[in-house]
Amino acid sequence: MDRQMISRLAHAHHPIAAPVSDGAVATLLERALAPEDEGRVLDLGCGQGGWLLRALVARPRWRAVGVDLDAAALTRARESAEAAGVQRRLGLHHLDAREFTAREPFELILNVGATHSFGGLLPTLAAAREHLAPGGRVLVGECFWECEPSSAALGSLGSAREEYADLATTVDRVVADGWTPVFGHVSSRPEWDAYEFSWTGSLAAWALDHPEHPDAADARAAADLHRAEWLHGYRGTLGFVTLLLRRD
Ligand SMILES: C[S@@+](CC[C@H](N)C(=O)[O-])C[C@H]1O[C@@H](n2cnc3c(N)ncnc32)[C@H](O)[C@@H]1O
């Protein structure tokens, strides 16, 4: 079973592919969209479009563009947009986010849980800046270390210690890069637990519901492995912060 299929099944009940609750998403978007009645929002790594759909529903005069490499996730985003009646204000591009170009800049740029597509947090902010309108904002979601990672935590994530920093260092680096955090959200332990139980539980439930499917055993094994890696590995060690940024 390929990773994209696993991810789609795992996010069936938690379309935001990050440990951020619906309430926190609403609050972050409210702050991010607040200054203008109308505008354009770009999501570089939009997945199923969870952030963009919520933005378009909340703001009838905003338009949105989403970019992602996962064609099936984009199909899901399109279907959800049609169900919500916002499809005319949403453009979706099946493309590497590093290759996306646009004629006009955007008032808001999102990249939540997808900084790896640009090689890390600061390269992601540099890429976002290329598309940002004067006075615009960036909403970026990135992992950090809640505490010093054990070798079990690093092994379960397949990460190096240097891949992330602690929260203070993460924010310091962003500030040193010329950005000002104007809002932010640190995912709580209950948000992480809800996300991981939903991820592993949705995948395991699909396997139980489709015992004859040729991918059922793979799905079950992926759910079991992910749950073990989380509970025995990175739970309480990996943090997630979503920052709303402006340029100085
Ligand atoms: C963890 S998901 C986050 C999705 C979305 N931002 C959200 O919060 O629901 C990461 C997404 O980045 C996408 N992605 C990874 N590398 C990419 C690239 N080079 N260009 C575009 N999308 C990419 C993946 O397909 C996936 O949908």
Side-chain angles (χ1 to χ4, degrees):
M1 184 177 245
D2 69 64
R3 289 298 307 169
Q4 291 182 341
M5 177 73 173
I6 287 174
S7 175
R8 269 193 308 287
L9 294 173
H11 289 107
H13 299 99
H14 198 300
I16 298 292
V20 187
S21 68
D22 280 342
V25 170
T27 303
L28 284 160
L29 282 176
E30 179 60 32
R31 294 289 281 261
L33 297 163
E36 290 104 11
D37 270 354
E38 56 190 283
R40 283 159 37 91
V41 51
L42 168 66
D43 192 338
L44 295 166
C46 65
Q48 298 180 25
W51 292 86
L52 294 181
L53 292 170
R54 284 162 173 75
L56 291 175
V57 168
R59 297 299 165 117
R61 296 176 66 191
W62 277 67
R63 306 185 72 81
V65 173
V67 183
D68 205 285
L69 281 174
D70 184 343
L74 294 174
T75 299
R76 185 77 59 87
R78 197 168 291 113
E79 290 166 357
S80 302
E82 281 165 12
V86 299
Q87 72 277 11
R88 291 201 179 148
R89 293 186 285 126
L90 175 63
L92 294 170
H93 299 268
H94 181 214
L95 193 66
D96 190 319
R98 292 169 296 183
E99 291 165 12
F100 175 76
T101 57
R103 279 198 298 262
E104 289 178 69
F106 293 82
E107 283 72 31
L108 175 61
I109 297 180
L110 310 178
N111 179 295
V112 181
T115 56
H116 54 281
S117 47
F118 291 97
L121 178 57
L122 297 186
T124 297
L125 294 177
R129 207 175 157 192
E130 306 266 308
H131 299 294
L132 197 60
R137 295 162 301 285
V138 173
L139 190 68
V140 66
E142 173 70 323
C143 291
F144 68 92
W145 298 127
E146 292 269 14
C147 59
E148 194 58 31
S150 64
S151 55
L154 292 173
S156 67
L157 292 164
S159 294
R161 165 75 181 79
E162 301 70 37
E163 196 168 329
Y164 305 116
D166 62 29
L167 178 61
T169 306
T170 302
V171 176
D172 285 351
R173 288 176 181 166
V174 168
V175 171
D177 198 42
W179 299 88
T180 299
V182 294
F183 191 52
H185 172 78
V186 175
S187 296
S188 65
R189 181 69 71 89
E191 281 177 296
W192 267 108
D193 289 351
Y195 178 61
E196 299 290 8
F197 268 128
S198 187
W199 200 108
T200 55
S202 298
L203 192 56
W206 181 86
L208 289 173
D209 290 341
H210 300 83
E212 308 302 331
H213 195 288
D215 288 332
D218 276 3
R220 182 58 189 257
D224 289 346
L225 176 64
H226 189 115
R227 191 176 57 248
E229 288 175 337
W230 161 50
L231 290 173
H232 295 284
Y234 61 86
R235 183 173 185 262
T237 297
L238 191 66
F240 194 81
V241 61
T242 310
L243 296 168
L244 182 62
L245 303 172
R246 289 177 53 185
R247 290 299 295 175
D248 290 350

PDB file of all heavy atoms in Angstrom, residues 9-10 13 195-208 223 227:
ATOM      1  N   LEU A   9      -6.372   7.347   4.048  1.00  0.00           N
ATOM      2  CA  LEU A   9      -7.231   6.570   4.945  1.00  0.00           C
ATOM      3  C   LEU A   9      -7.043   7.035   6.394  1.00  0.00           C
ATOM      4  O   LEU A   9      -7.995   7.143   7.166  1.00  0.00           O
ATOM      5  CB  LEU A   9      -6.902   5.074   4.828  1.00  0.00           C
ATOM      6  CG  LEU A   9      -7.221   4.437   3.470  1.00  0.00           C
ATOM      7  CD1 LEU A   9      -6.701   3.007   3.415  1.00  0.00           C
ATOM      8  CD2 LEU A   9      -8.725   4.469   3.207  1.00  0.00           C
ATOM      9  N   ALA A  10      -5.796   7.318   6.759  1.00  0.00           N
ATOM     10  CA  ALA A  10      -5.498   7.710   8.141  1.00  0.00           C
ATOM     11  C   ALA A  10      -6.130   9.068   8.485  1.00  0.00           C
ATOM     12  O   ALA A  10      -6.437   9.330   9.655  1.00  0.00           O
ATOM     13  CB  ALA A  10      -3.991   7.769   8.335  1.00  0.00           C
ATOM     14  N   HIS A  13     -10.918  10.945   9.323  1.00  0.00           N
ATOM     15  CA  HIS A  13     -11.713  11.648  10.343  1.00  0.00           C
ATOM     16  C   HIS A  13     -10.991  12.869  10.893  1.00  0.00           C
ATOM     17  O   HIS A  13     -11.437  13.471  11.874  1.00  0.00           O
ATOM     18  CB  HIS A  13     -12.068  10.687  11.481  1.00  0.00           C
ATOM     19  CG  HIS A  13     -12.896   9.527  11.015  1.00  0.00           C
ATOM     20  ND1 HIS A  13     -12.359   8.284  10.747  1.00  0.00           N
ATOM     21  CD2 HIS A  13     -14.217   9.442  10.719  1.00  0.00           C
ATOM     22  CE1 HIS A  13     -13.308   7.476  10.317  1.00  0.00           C
ATOM     23  NE2 HIS A  13     -14.448   8.155  10.288  1.00  0.00           N
ATOM     24  N   TYR A 195      -5.048  13.490  17.392  1.00  0.00           N
ATOM     25  CA  TYR A 195      -4.563  13.322  16.021  1.00  0.00           C
ATOM     26  C   TYR A 195      -4.011  11.909  15.804  1.00  0.00           C
ATOM     27  O   TYR A 195      -4.355  11.230  14.830  1.00  0.00           O
ATOM     28  CB  TYR A 195      -3.488  14.374  15.727  1.00  0.00           C
ATOM     29  CG  TYR A 195      -2.885  14.249  14.349  1.00  0.00           C
ATOM     30  CD1 TYR A 195      -3.676  14.385  13.210  1.00  0.00           C
ATOM     31  CD2 TYR A 195      -1.533  13.985  14.181  1.00  0.00           C
ATOM     32  CE1 TYR A 195      -3.133  14.261  11.943  1.00  0.00           C
ATOM     33  CE2 TYR A 195      -0.981  13.866  12.911  1.00  0.00           C
ATOM     34  CZ  TYR A 195      -1.783  13.996  11.801  1.00  0.00           C
ATOM     35  OH  TYR A 195      -1.234  13.865  10.545  1.00  0.00           O
ATOM     36  N   GLU A 196      -3.176  11.453  16.710  1.00  0.00           N
ATOM     37  CA  GLU A 196      -2.538  10.141  16.522  1.00  0.00           C
ATOM     38  C   GLU A 196      -3.542   8.997  16.676  1.00  0.00           C
ATOM     39  O   GLU A 196      -3.466   8.012  15.931  1.00  0.00           O
ATOM     40  CB  GLU A 196      -1.368   9.974  17.496  1.00  0.00           C
ATOM     41  CG  GLU A 196      -0.251  10.991  17.332  1.00  0.00           C
ATOM     42  CD  GLU A 196       0.571  10.811  16.046  1.00  0.00           C
ATOM     43  OE1 GLU A 196       0.199   9.999  15.185  1.00  0.00           O
ATOM     44  OE2 GLU A 196       1.604  11.495  15.916  1.00  0.00           O
ATOM     45  N   PHE A 197      -4.458   9.125  17.638  1.00  0.00           N
ATOM     46  CA  PHE A 197      -5.475   8.065  17.748  1.00  0.00           C
ATOM     47  C   PHE A 197      -6.377   8.051  16.522  1.00  0.00           C
ATOM     48  O   PHE A 197      -6.830   6.985  16.071  1.00  0.00           O
ATOM     49  CB  PHE A 197      -6.313   8.244  19.026  1.00  0.00           C
ATOM     50  CG  PHE A 197      -5.763   7.496  20.202  1.00  0.00           C
ATOM     51  CD1 PHE A 197      -5.532   8.151  21.404  1.00  0.00           C
ATOM     52  CD2 PHE A 197      -5.484   6.137  20.123  1.00  0.00           C
ATOM     53  CE1 PHE A 197      -5.015   7.461  22.503  1.00  0.00           C
ATOM     54  CE2 PHE A 197      -4.973   5.443  21.214  1.00  0.00           C
ATOM     55  CZ  PHE A 197      -4.746   6.112  22.402  1.00  0.00           C
ATOM     56  N   SER A 198      -6.669   9.235  15.973  1.00  0.00           N
ATOM     57  CA  SER A 198      -7.489   9.287  14.766  1.00  0.00           C
ATOM     58  C   SER A 198      -6.733   8.675  13.587  1.00  0.00           C
ATOM     59  O   SER A 198      -7.283   7.887  12.814  1.00  0.00           O
ATOM     60  CB  SER A 198      -7.877  10.743  14.465  1.00  0.00           C
ATOM     61  OG  SER A 198      -8.794  10.773  13.395  1.00  0.00           O
ATOM     62  N   TRP A 199      -5.451   9.047  13.457  1.00  0.00           N
ATOM     63  CA  TRP A 199      -4.614   8.527  12.348  1.00  0.00           C
ATOM     64  C   TRP A 199      -4.573   7.009  12.384  1.00  0.00           C
ATOM     65  O   TRP A 199      -4.911   6.327  11.418  1.00  0.00           O
ATOM     66  CB  TRP A 199      -3.206   9.113  12.508  1.00  0.00           C
ATOM     67  CG  TRP A 199      -2.319   9.112  11.301  1.00  0.00           C
ATOM     68  CD1 TRP A 199      -1.959  10.200  10.573  1.00  0.00           C
ATOM     69  CD2 TRP A 199      -1.641   7.987  10.705  1.00  0.00           C
ATOM     70  NE1 TRP A 199      -1.114   9.824   9.551  1.00  0.00           N
ATOM     71  CE2 TRP A 199      -0.894   8.467   9.606  1.00  0.00           C
ATOM     72  CE3 TRP A 199      -1.597   6.625  10.987  1.00  0.00           C
ATOM     73  CZ2 TRP A 199      -0.123   7.657   8.796  1.00  0.00           C
ATOM     74  CZ3 TRP A 199      -0.828   5.795  10.169  1.00  0.00           C
ATOM     75  CH2 TRP A 199      -0.100   6.312   9.093  1.00  0.00           C
ATOM     76  N   THR A 200      -4.137   6.480  13.517  1.00  0.00           N
ATOM     77  CA  THR A 200      -3.962   5.023  13.613  1.00  0.00           C
ATOM     78  C   THR A 200      -5.316   4.309  13.657  1.00  0.00           C
ATOM     79  O   THR A 200      -5.481   3.239  13.062  1.00  0.00           O
ATOM     80  CB  THR A 200      -3.148   4.663  14.869  1.00  0.00           C
ATOM     81  OG1 THR A 200      -3.786   5.222  16.032  1.00  0.00           O
ATOM     82  CG2 THR A 200      -1.737   5.231  14.787  1.00  0.00           C
ATOM     83  N   GLY A 201      -6.286   4.917  14.322  1.00  0.00           N
ATOM     84  CA  GLY A 201      -7.602   4.279  14.470  1.00  0.00           C
ATOM     85  C   GLY A 201      -8.367   4.227  13.159  1.00  0.00           C
ATOM     86  O   GLY A 201      -9.019   3.215  12.850  1.00  0.00           O
ATOM     87  N   SER A 202      -8.302   5.296  12.361  1.00  0.00           N
ATOM     88  CA  SER A 202      -9.021   5.304  11.079  1.00  0.00           C
ATOM     89  C   SER A 202      -8.451   4.258  10.139  1.00  0.00           C
ATOM     90  O   SER A 202      -9.187   3.564   9.431  1.00  0.00           O
ATOM     91  CB  SER A 202      -8.920   6.690  10.416  1.00  0.00           C
ATOM     92  OG  SER A 202      -9.521   7.665  11.228  1.00  0.00           O
ATOM     93  N   LEU A 203      -7.141   4.137  10.153  1.00  0.00           N
ATOM     94  CA  LEU A 203      -6.486   3.159   9.274  1.00  0.00           C
ATOM     95  C   LEU A 203      -6.811   1.728   9.725  1.00  0.00           C
ATOM     96  O   LEU A 203      -7.151   0.858   8.902  1.00  0.00           O
ATOM     97  CB  LEU A 203      -4.978   3.410   9.299  1.00  0.00           C
ATOM     98  CG  LEU A 203      -4.122   2.718   8.256  1.00  0.00           C
ATOM     99  CD1 LEU A 203      -4.589   3.020   6.842  1.00  0.00           C
ATOM    100  CD2 LEU A 203      -2.664   3.152   8.426  1.00  0.00           C
ATOM    101  N   ALA A 204      -6.722   1.487  11.028  1.00  0.00           N
ATOM    102  CA  ALA A 204      -7.022   0.146  11.549  1.00  0.00           C
ATOM    103  C   ALA A 204      -8.488  -0.215  11.313  1.00  0.00           C
ATOM    104  O   ALA A 204      -8.823  -1.355  10.952  1.00  0.00           O
ATOM    105  CB  ALA A 204      -6.687   0.086  13.040  1.00  0.00           C
ATOM    106  N   ALA A 205      -9.381   0.773  11.487  1.00  0.00           N
ATOM    107  CA  ALA A 205     -10.817   0.505  11.282  1.00  0.00           C
ATOM    108  C   ALA A 205     -11.095   0.161   9.820  1.00  0.00           C
ATOM    109  O   ALA A 205     -11.910  -0.731   9.527  1.00  0.00           O
ATOM    110  CB  ALA A 205     -11.641   1.721  11.712  1.00  0.00           C
ATOM    111  N   TRP A 206     -10.390   0.856   8.900  1.00  0.00           N
ATOM    112  CA  TRP A 206     -10.576   0.542   7.474  1.00  0.00           C
ATOM    113  C   TRP A 206     -10.164  -0.913   7.208  1.00  0.00           C
ATOM    114  O   TRP A 206     -10.853  -1.648   6.496  1.00  0.00           O
ATOM    115  CB  TRP A 206      -9.759   1.496   6.603  1.00  0.00           C
ATOM    116  CG  TRP A 206      -9.931   1.231   5.141  1.00  0.00           C
ATOM    117  CD1 TRP A 206     -10.901   1.719   4.305  1.00  0.00           C
ATOM    118  CD2 TRP A 206      -9.111   0.361   4.324  1.00  0.00           C
ATOM    119  NE1 TRP A 206     -10.742   1.208   3.034  1.00  0.00           N
ATOM    120  CE2 TRP A 206      -9.656   0.370   3.019  1.00  0.00           C
ATOM    121  CE3 TRP A 206      -7.990  -0.427   4.586  1.00  0.00           C
ATOM    122  CZ2 TRP A 206      -9.100  -0.360   1.973  1.00  0.00           C
ATOM    123  CZ3 TRP A 206      -7.434  -1.170   3.535  1.00  0.00           C
ATOM    124  CH2 TRP A 206      -7.997  -1.123   2.247  1.00  0.00           C
ATOM    125  N   ALA A 207      -9.045  -1.334   7.804  1.00  0.00           N
ATOM    126  CA  ALA A 207      -8.590  -2.715   7.611  1.00  0.00           C
ATOM    127  C   ALA A 207      -9.616  -3.715   8.166  1.00  0.00           C
ATOM    128  O   ALA A 207      -9.912  -4.733   7.538  1.00  0.00           O
ATOM    129  CB  ALA A 207      -7.232  -2.914   8.281  1.00  0.00           C
ATOM    130  N   LEU A 208     -10.187  -3.390   9.333  1.00  0.00           N
ATOM    131  CA  LEU A 208     -11.205  -4.284   9.910  1.00  0.00           C
ATOM    132  C   LEU A 208     -12.455  -4.339   9.033  1.00  0.00           C
ATOM    133  O   LEU A 208     -13.100  -5.382   8.915  1.00  0.00           O
ATOM    134  CB  LEU A 208     -11.591  -3.792  11.313  1.00  0.00           C
ATOM    135  CG  LEU A 208     -10.533  -3.959  12.411  1.00  0.00           C
ATOM    136  CD1 LEU A 208     -10.988  -3.274  13.692  1.00  0.00           C
ATOM    137  CD2 LEU A 208     -10.237  -5.433  12.660  1.00  0.00           C
ATOM    138  N   ALA A 223      -0.850   0.797  10.645  1.00  0.00           N
ATOM    139  CA  ALA A 223      -1.488   1.409  11.817  1.00  0.00           C
ATOM    140  C   ALA A 223      -0.801   0.953  13.101  1.00  0.00           C
ATOM    141  O   ALA A 223      -0.511   1.761  14.001  1.00  0.00           O
ATOM    142  CB  ALA A 223      -2.975   1.053  11.848  1.00  0.00           C
ATOM    143  N   ARG A 227       1.319   3.425  15.603  1.00  0.00           N
ATOM    144  CA  ARG A 227       0.888   3.566  17.006  1.00  0.00           C
ATOM    145  C   ARG A 227       2.038   3.233  17.962  1.00  0.00           C
ATOM    146  O   ARG A 227       2.251   3.931  18.965  1.00  0.00           O
ATOM    147  CB  ARG A 227      -0.325   2.665  17.277  1.00  0.00           C
ATOM    148  CG  ARG A 227      -0.997   2.945  18.621  1.00  0.00           C
ATOM    149  CD  ARG A 227      -2.249   2.108  18.804  1.00  0.00           C
ATOM    150  NE  ARG A 227      -1.970   0.697  18.689  1.00  0.00           N
ATOM    151  CZ  ARG A 227      -2.387  -0.097  17.691  1.00  0.00           C
ATOM    152  NH1 ARG A 227      -3.136   0.376  16.726  1.00  0.00           N
ATOM    153  NH2 ARG A 227      -2.056  -1.373  17.676  1.00  0.00           N
TER     154      ARG A 227
END
